[in-house]
Amino acid sequence: MQEIALGGFSFFILLLAVFAVIFIRDAVKVVPQQEAWVVERFGKFHSVLEPGLNFIVPLIDKVAYKQTLKEIPMDTSSQICITKDNTQLQVDGVLYFQVTNPELASYGTSDFVMAITQLAQTSLRSVIGTMSLDKTFEEREEINARVVQAVDEAAQTWGVKVLRYEIKDLTPPKEILRAMQLQITAEREKRAVIATSEGQRQKEINVAEGERASMIAQSEGEMQAAINRAEGEARAIEAVAKAQAEAIRLVAEAIAQNKGLEAVNLQVAEKYVEAFGNIAQKSSTLLLPANLADISSMVASAMAIVKNSLNSQNSRSYFYK
């Protein structure tokens, strides 16, 4: 009997130990980083376990939901959207969101991931419907911002923060793609023609400006040459006049010296005789003085004329002095 009692006691101790291990296992909860566990007590929300070591009451409390607090990327299924100009456009994208309130994420909706995905698709169709086809390719940032704004307002009641939405691809029908390619080709050809015409225009302007500059330079050169010639001729005339004046001055000084007048008389007589000799050689008409026999009287007459002329010049010079 004693052995049976000891055996029963040992079994009780072992059962108690197993119960204690199970109790401790269910009571101690270690929550990983960037996670939040929602605890229910008797089927009702009780608390949220933070990352680290936590304790709950077994059989009374239970972990009903485990929510991750990391940023979650979610692909949205490709869908057909109708643009403002009635063109079909196949669009798909990626939605990024994060759980900010584990309680609302657990009880706000049955499946917040599906709810956010569906809302993103409907919002995308609405935004695309307000834009033309060309604008959808140009305003991707605006489309992303409007989708995020629309989804984030609704997701706040689910304890979720929508961070951003990125369009992965916009695919129009093949006919539209061909038309767009033709449009792009035509636009490029137009730009090429415009660039060529602008180049030709600039070339003609440059040539005209070069010719104008050349003509101006040539005319300025001709003008400067004419000025130089005129200045040269003026200086030459001035030099000749100065030489003649100097010669006349020297002759006058020579005449004023001793025996100067006799030398002049002799030179005049020689020129007089030489002149009559030349007339006799070159002309058939013979000019003779009135008294041909008296050549000395002829020379004397010439010298008298020269003397009178000199006296007249001297008197004028004295008057001016």
Side-chain angles (χ1 to χ4, degrees):
M1 293 293 293
Q2 187 177 2
E3 292 179 356
I4 295 173
L6 290 174
F9 181 74
S10 299
F11 177 76
F12 177 75
I13 294 299
L14 179 61
L15 183 63
L16 185 62
V18 171
F19 180 77
V21 170
I22 295 175
F23 182 85
I24 294 173
R25 184 196 66 181
D26 292 341
V28 177
K29 299 297 180 182
V30 178
V31 180
Q33 184 66 31
Q34 289 297 97
E35 287 191 8
W37 292 2
V38 177
V39 177
E40 292 180 349
R41 175 169 292 179
F42 298 114
K44 184 180 179 181
F45 172 77
H46 175 64
S47 63
V48 177
L49 302 181
E50 300 293 336
L53 183 64
N54 297 272
F55 297 94
I56 62 174
V57 179
L59 303 177
I60 297 176
D61 298 337
K62 73 171 183 176
V63 177
Y65 301 96
K66 295 181 179 181
Q67 304 292 353
T68 177
L69 304 180
K70 298 178 181 180
E71 182 178 343
I72 302 173
M74 179 67 63
D75 280 328
T76 57
S77 302
S78 178
Q79 60 179 335
I80 301 297
C81 301
I82 306 299
T83 62
K84 186 178 180 180
D85 48 1
N86 296 325
T87 302
Q88 292 184 352
L89 192 64
Q90 187 173 357
V91 187
D92 60 348
V94 182
L95 184 68
Y96 298 85
F97 61 90
Q98 185 178 23
V99 175
T100 56
N101 190 325
E103 180 184 357
L104 293 179
S106 301
Y107 301 104
T109 179
S110 60
D111 189 350
F112 67 87
V113 174
M114 184 184 69
I116 292 175
T117 303
Q118 294 297 321
L119 182 59
Q121 290 181 333
T122 56
S123 300
L124 180 62
R125 286 195 294 268
S126 300
V127 173
I128 294 295
T130 61
M131 298 182 177
S132 61
L133 179 62
D134 293 336
K135 192 174 182 180
T136 56
F137 292 100
E138 299 173 359
E139 303 293 341
R140 284 198 177 193
E141 294 296 330
E142 181 181 352
I143 295 173
N144 296 337
R146 291 174 63 178
V147 171
V148 169
Q149 181 181 2
V151 178
D152 186 58
E153 291 178 356
Q156 290 179 359
T157 59
W158 305 329
V160 178
K161 174 66 177 177
V162 179
L163 302 176
R164 58 188 178 277
Y165 179 81
E166 298 291 339
I167 295 177
K168 292 199 301 183
D169 194 15
L170 292 171
T171 307
K174 294 181 179 180
E175 295 78 7
I176 301 298
L177 286 175
R178 284 195 295 269
M180 292 174 64
Q181 186 63 38
L182 292 175
Q183 182 180 2
I184 293 173
T185 302
E187 184 66 24
R188 289 178 178 175
E189 291 177 353
K190 174 185 175 183
R191 292 178 182 177
V193 171
I194 293 175
T196 302
S197 63
E198 288 291 337
Q200 184 66 27
R201 174 175 173 271
Q202 190 62 39
K203 175 184 175 181
E204 293 177 356
I205 291 174
N206 293 340
V207 171
E209 289 181 352
E211 292 179 353
R212 175 175 174 272
S214 176
M215 294 176 64
I216 291 174
Q218 182 178 359
S219 63
E220 289 180 352
E222 293 176 353
M223 180 182 70
Q224 188 63 38
I227 292 173
N228 293 339
R229 285 195 300 270
E231 290 180 354
E233 292 176 357
R235 291 178 182 178
I237 293 172
E238 183 180 358
V240 171
K242 288 181 178 180
Q244 291 178 351
E246 183 66 18
I248 293 172
R249 185 184 64 79
L250 292 176
V251 171
E253 289 179 356
I255 294 172
Q257 293 178 0
N258 188 19
K259 302 294 184 177
L261 184 60
E262 287 80 357
V264 173
N265 293 336
L266 178 60
Q267 187 177 8
V268 170
E270 290 176 353
K271 295 295 183 180
Y272 187 80
V273 173
E274 184 181 354
F276 272 97
N278 291 332
I279 293 173
Q281 291 177 0
K282 297 180 180 180
S283 177
S284 59
T285 302
L286 181 61
L287 297 177
L288 297 175
N291 189 1
L292 184 60
D294 192 2
I295 192 67
S296 61
S297 63
M298 177 184 62
V299 174
S301 300
M303 294 310 300
I305 295 172
V306 172
K307 188 175 182 180
N308 293 332
S309 176
L310 290 175
N311 292 332
S312 176
Q313 290 181 358
N314 291 331
S315 63
R316 284 197 299 268
S317 300
Y318 178 80
F319 176 75
Y320 287 127
K321 290 180 180 180

